[in-house]
Amino acid sequence: MADRSSPLTLVENTYKKTRFNLEIIRKRLARPLTLSEKILFGHLQNPESQDLSRSKSFLLLKPDRVAMQDATAQMAILQFMLSGKEESAVPATVHCDHLIRAFKGNEEDLNRAKAENKEVYDFLSSASSRYNIGFWEPGAGIIHQIILENYAFPGGMMIGTDSHTPNAGGLGMIASGVGGADASDVMAGLPWEVKNPGIVGVKLTGSLSGWTSAKDIIIKLLEILTVKGGTNRIIEYFGEGCESISCTGKATITNMGAELGATCSLFPFDAKMAAFLESTGRQPLASAAEKNIDILCADEEVSLNPTEFYDQLIEINLSELEPQITGPHSPDAVSSLSEMKQKAAREGWPTNLTAALIGSCTNSSYEDIDRSASIVAQALEKGIKPALPLLISPGSQLVKETLERDGQMEILIKGGATILSNSCGPCIGQWQREDIEKGVKNSLVNSFNRNFRGRNDGNPETLSFIASPEMVTIMGITGKLDFNPISDTVTNEKGESVKFDPPRGDELPLKGYKDSKSGFQPPAGKDTKVIVADDSERLQLLTPFAPWNGKDPVDLPLLCKAKGKCTTDHISPAGPWLKFRGHLDKISDNMLSGAVNAFTGETGKGKNLISGEQSKSFSENARSYKKEGLSFIIVGDENYGEGSSREHAAMSPRLLGCGAVLVKSFARIHETNLKKQGLLALSFENPDDYEKIREDDRISLEGVTKLAPSSSIKVILNHADGSKESFTAVHTLNEEQIRWFKAGSALNLLREEKY
């Protein structure tokens, strides 16, 4: 089952199952279907009786595959081990890409990571081997590039323990980021439960040219929809513009659709996808897709009358699109290239750049780096010395070896670039940066996907701007955030004013990929011993959470009232904490360390309602309450839990005694993670009630004992002055999720039903 690539039999069986399901669905709905519906409904566990109410019902789906990266795989596999299952019920893989810290360069960084993380790698390698899971070694590549090159296929369905799993949508796959509990459930043979998403149709017309690239399409869409606009929705692209975008370009777009909060994004099958499958040695899969093209694109009526079938329709003319830049501090803080000079001056952004970084799972393909190399080659030819050394993270060993063979790496190194390991690196904060002191305001530009404050280098004063690899390259060469290659010139070493031509690059290597077939470990079987040291500080075997006590929560102390953006990076930061992703107790010391206290403006600190002490870390206060047998409540703002899929942002509060999380609105993955861990995920019926909550409040929740789908909860604020206020909170729990809550977690319920 754990093959190095998706076998033809799996793909053919998926198409057969999809056709069987869709025959039933077409009779039920009696209307044309979007592509999203074809793939979703083609993977239904029970197409005859499933409630299909869009944006309302919860679907029970049977994914074809599970993918996990090393930081989140630890907790996913630890949870799977509690299920009592002998092996994964579906094909699954683990990819070691998150724990490699960028510093000196590929070889030195990789060797250090293997030494520092040996205990974790040994656990993941042995557990994967034991439970029939494929294991990709450190240095093999970034999870989403490995998936695209080996496992993704049109019309398939995959879940992954990383929020950028939708990258596979570039190859026509419904691929969605989830928490480890969802992954462990599917590996245990259970269906994946997800809210039936709304569908946004994005019609692409025209074609890309000049300095504009696929990255500019998704950045433009972020400007239109914002980071909340895709929540519980699928973004489905269509139109003749799709045909001009390479497969890896499509993957860039679907990958960064995660920043919209979307369930996933996808493109219809086309010749570009077929070419990529063939180039990566999967010609039989391309042939199978071509034979089944009718289920790999929307029905013709949908394209002709899109407003009748999509919940929202957006049109982007690629011929009119100019390069886009987003930042700082949010992926939807978008500026067009032509606006940057004026906007940077108005906002006071430093325009002298301190770093230029290319890579991440979003932009590290052969085409991306080939186009960057073409710009560096121009600089060398025109006598221009790059102002900054590019830091480049190739997406995979396959891409890296091919670029080395074809000469692009030599050009980049001549231009001063440092080639980092095939890993996430600075994109996720795995960057040992020493050129800028913490607290110093500076600007950097990258081709990544997220630019939350402090995310890349741990410095909250770093202004991180995201653009295409082409724009990052030219800005790195000139050293200027506001440089516009369409209109501006550069002075070379001879004092001449020169202008850059638009970049060029091949979508696929003309000689094919150089594939050494390295980095993959097939499983050995059930006799493999899973390696976890008894005295480990990196790994901790899990014990089940306690079930609900059957009572309404009374007088819960307010742990934190978070103000403004509170992503999973704020709730459970990565960076140096990544090494504790397999040790729930230790990593819980970082809980809410990035959250801004609504009362004091402090970050990561609040008042202890038992001792009265101020400026204590939220995790310290939580442990204090737990020691006294008290549960606590967390209050949040809009889109709480945006960003990464990391379930530690749900598991840490659960471990330390959280009774409920009450917010204005949730990001999709985080809300599900809270439910999976047996936490009450509540929303203000009236968001203005957020303002009523005071620092010293003890909060009671009435109606939990009568919890039911669509029921409401009465929230009673017991103020320190003796007065009381109340308001209504709502939830999205369905019958099954209420059972998770009562059992203490979804995993507890699975164990109960097994035994």
Side-chain angles (χ1 to χ4, degrees), residues 658-712:
C658 183
V661 179
L662 172 64
V663 302
K664 291 183 181 179
S665 65
F666 284 107
R668 176 188 64 85
I669 299 176
H670 186 60
E671 182 179 22
T672 300
N673 286 345
L674 291 171
K675 293 176 181 179
K676 283 279 185 177
Q677 301 305 332
L679 277 166
L680 271 179
L682 304 175
S683 301
F684 293 95
E685 185 176 56
N686 178 1
D688 292 341
D689 288 331
Y690 170 91
E691 303 298 335
K692 295 178 180 178
I693 296 174
R694 303 178 190 175
E695 187 177 27
D696 293 303
D697 281 350
R698 300 285 185 130
I699 301 174
S700 299
L701 304 175
E702 288 186 1
V704 178
T705 54
K706 298 177 181 178
L707 195 63
S710 301
S711 66
S712 60

Side-chain angles (χ1 to χ4, degrees), residues 53 169 363 570 606 613 713 735:
S53 303
N363 279 113
H570 295 83
E613 292 178 275
I713 301 295
E735 291 283 5

Side-chain angles (χ1 to χ4, degrees), residues 450-663:
R450 290 186 181 134
N451 52 2
F452 305 141
R453 188 182 290 272
R455 178 176 171 90
N456 299 139
D457 61 1
N459 180 6
E461 294 304 314
T462 292
L463 308 186
S464 177
F465 294 87
I466 297 172
S468 68
E470 297 90 331
M471 290 308 305
V472 172
T473 303
I474 193 65
M475 289 179 176
I477 289 170
T478 61
K480 291 292 185 178
L481 175 65
D482 57 354
F483 181 80
N484 185 340
I486 299 171
S487 58
D488 297 350
T489 59
V490 187
T491 302
N492 68 8
E493 294 171 341
K494 297 179 181 179
E496 301 167 332
S497 291
V498 296
K499 195 173 182 181
F500 279 80
D501 298 321
R504 55 145 301 277
D506 295 321
E507 295 179 5
L508 297 168
L510 299 178
K511 300 177 185 177
Y513 284 101
K514 181 183 178 183
D515 190 356
S516 62
K517 296 190 181 299
S518 61
F520 177 72
Q521 170 197 284
K526 299 177 183 178
D527 293 334
T528 305
K529 181 182 178 181
V530 179
I531 303 172
V532 180
D534 292 336
D535 60 348
S536 175
E537 293 193 353
R538 299 287 300 272
L539 298 160
Q540 178 188 45
L541 295 176
L542 298 176
T543 55
F545 291 131
W548 174 51
N549 64 9
K551 302 176 182 178
D552 281 344
V554 177
D555 288 341
L556 303 181
L558 174 64
L559 178 72
C560 170
K561 180 180 177 181
K563 180 182 179 181
K565 188 180 284 287
C566 193
T567 72
T568 49
D569 280 65
H570 295 83
I571 304 167
S572 182
W577 289 96
L578 273 173
K579 63 183 180 181
F580 295 128
R581 282 286 181 86
H583 199 297
L584 183 57
D585 187 66
K586 285 188 178 295
I587 201 169
S588 295
D589 285 337
N590 79 355
M591 185 185 74
L592 293 166
S593 57
V596 176
N597 187 323
F599 304 108
T600 66
E602 286 185 291
T603 299
K605 296 178 180 180
K607 183 176 182 179
N608 186 303
L609 300 193
I610 295 176
S611 67
E613 292 178 275
Q614 291 279 7
S615 299
K616 302 287 289 184
S617 74
F618 289 127
S619 62
E620 285 182 282
N621 288 340
R623 291 187 186 277
S624 170
Y625 299 150
K626 183 177 181 180
K627 187 176 180 180
E628 297 298 322
L630 297 174
S631 293
F632 56 83
I633 188 168
I634 296 169
V635 173
D637 212 320
E638 296 281 3
N639 209 27
Y640 183 83
E642 170 193 346
S644 165
S645 68
R646 66 191 68 161
E647 65 187 330
H648 302 77
M651 294 186 78
S652 289
R654 182 72 170 94
L655 176 73
L656 298 187
C658 183
V661 179
L662 172 64
V663 302

